[in-house]
Amino acid sequence: MDLEFRDRLDRVIQSIEKARMGVSLHHIVKIVAVSKYTDSHTIQKLYEVGQRAFGESKVQDFEKKYSELENLPIEWHFIGRLQKNKVNKLISLRPSLLQSLDSIELAKYLNERLEQRGEKLNALLQINSSREPQKAGVAPEQAIDVYQEILERFPNIRLKGVMAIGKHSPVVDEVRQSFREVYQIYEKLQKDGASICSMGMSGDFEIAISEGSNMVRLGSILIR
Ligand SMILES: *Cc1c(COP(=O)(O)O)cnc(C)c1O
């Protein structure tokens, strides 16, 4: 067992505990360790100290690590921008959750491929909470309509909730506000079956949890 990784994970879990207890004793938060910065060896070390869910942002890297770690029952998440020409490959790797579904167009393409293969895929709708045009995700104003349209038109995609990257700002209140807006969307989508609100990264996960996040994606704080 690698004590350094155990300590890092323990410290993160303690911070998450504090934040989630502030919301409610019943508020459970899942950790997805973002492994895009690292290799299979390090993933295995984190696995050995108890981490099970890992997130990758490039299909090629995901494929490599997936095959190197095939013997471990890792729960893989895909969190990066998905190009159409990588869709078939991604489906064949059977991720447990695609967190970065970010347009109707991608949903349509993905659904066609899934239908051809007779498969289903769990996904989150990515929301561009900071409204920066170069960032991925649907605009907050459109998120509910887009979510419902995907539910209605694309039955091979199983939408489970929403994902967002918080606003990149030194002003805590602005970061908080961006999470709050996404949470309000998530709340409205619960009647449509949404159960995952994935928000919070290494620099802002405590704020995200206090605004209702139940899934955090942590990279640099776990893996340096
Ligand atoms: C890289 C990445 C993360 C992790 O970022 P850290 O700040 O290193 O924790 C989380 N979510 C997404 C979508 C990412 O691309």
Side-chain angles (χ1 to χ4, degrees):
M1 184 186 288
D2 192 308
L3 293 180
E4 192 192 330
F5 281 97
R6 196 190 63 181
D7 287 350
R8 261 187 221 171
L9 191 57
D10 281 356
R11 271 199 298 271
V12 168
I13 289 169
Q14 277 169 20
S15 306
I16 290 175
E17 279 298 290
K18 224 181 189 174
R20 77 159 189 97
M21 303 276 271
V23 178
S24 147
L25 286 180
H26 305 282
H27 187 72
I28 305 299
V29 178
K30 175 159 182 150
I31 304 173
V32 177
V34 174
S35 47
K36 67 185 183 194
Y37 310 109
T38 194
D39 56 11
S40 296
H41 180 69
T42 303
I43 296 174
Q44 176 142 7
K45 283 186 173 178
L46 270 168
Y47 178 88
E48 283 165 7
V49 296
Q51 181 61 33
R52 290 292 176 271
F54 290 87
E56 283 290 329
S57 64
K58 294 203 175 98
V59 174
Q60 237 168 318
D61 295 348
F62 176 23
E63 184 182 18
K64 181 166 189 283
K65 293 169 191 175
Y66 174 90
S67 64
E68 287 169 354
L69 297 164
E70 217 165 11
N71 54 329
L72 301 181
I74 286 177
E75 179 187 314
W76 291 104
H77 293 229
F78 191 78
I79 62 170
R81 218 170 234 180
L82 181 58
Q83 292 163 315
K84 281 186 184 164
N85 62 357
K86 300 281 166 60
V87 162
N88 269 320
K89 176 58 72 184
L90 183 81
I91 296 171
S92 71
L93 296 172
R94 298 177 170 275
S96 98
L97 187 63
L98 165 65
Q99 296 207 17
S100 45
L101 182 58
D102 62 359
S103 69
I104 296 269
E105 195 194 348
L106 178 61
K108 182 171 188 288
Y109 190 83
L110 188 61
N111 191 68
E112 282 166 10
R113 294 293 163 280
L114 287 164
E115 206 180 309
Q116 278 174 358
R117 304 168 65 114
E119 292 184 51
K120 310 252 182 189
L121 180 65
N122 296 328
L124 303 181
L125 180 66
Q126 183 170 355
I127 299 173
N128 184 356
S129 66
S130 59
R131 294 189 171 75
E132 293 164 50
Q134 72 276 20
K135 290 214 175 136
V138 301
E141 297 74 22
Q142 291 162 2
I144 289 179
D145 288 347
V146 170
Y147 195 97
Q148 285 165 346
E149 185 174 343
I150 293 173
L151 278 182
E152 280 163 25
R153 289 178 59 196
F154 307 126
N156 292 60
I157 298 173
R158 294 197 182 113
L159 273 184
K160 299 288 180 189
V162 298
M163 184 272 258
I165 296 173
K167 185 167 180 164
H168 187 71
S169 162
V171 183
V172 170
D173 275 347
E174 288 184 6
V175 181
R176 186 177 290 288
Q177 187 50 42
S178 71
F179 288 137
R180 189 165 293 175
E181 185 173 29
V182 174
Y183 185 78
Q184 284 165 355
I185 295 167
Y186 165 71
E187 256 187 324
K188 292 189 185 133
L189 290 171
Q190 284 178 330
K191 67 167 175 21
D192 297 309
S195 62
I196 299 174
C197 180
S198 173
M199 347 184 260
M201 320 200 319
S202 296
D204 57 18
F205 69 94
E206 286 142 309
I207 305 171
I209 292 168
S210 68
E211 293 301 326
S213 164
N214 59 17
M215 181 176 281
V216 292
R217 308 174 310 271
L218 304 178
S220 46
I221 200 171
L222 289 172
I223 300 153
R224 261 160 294 203

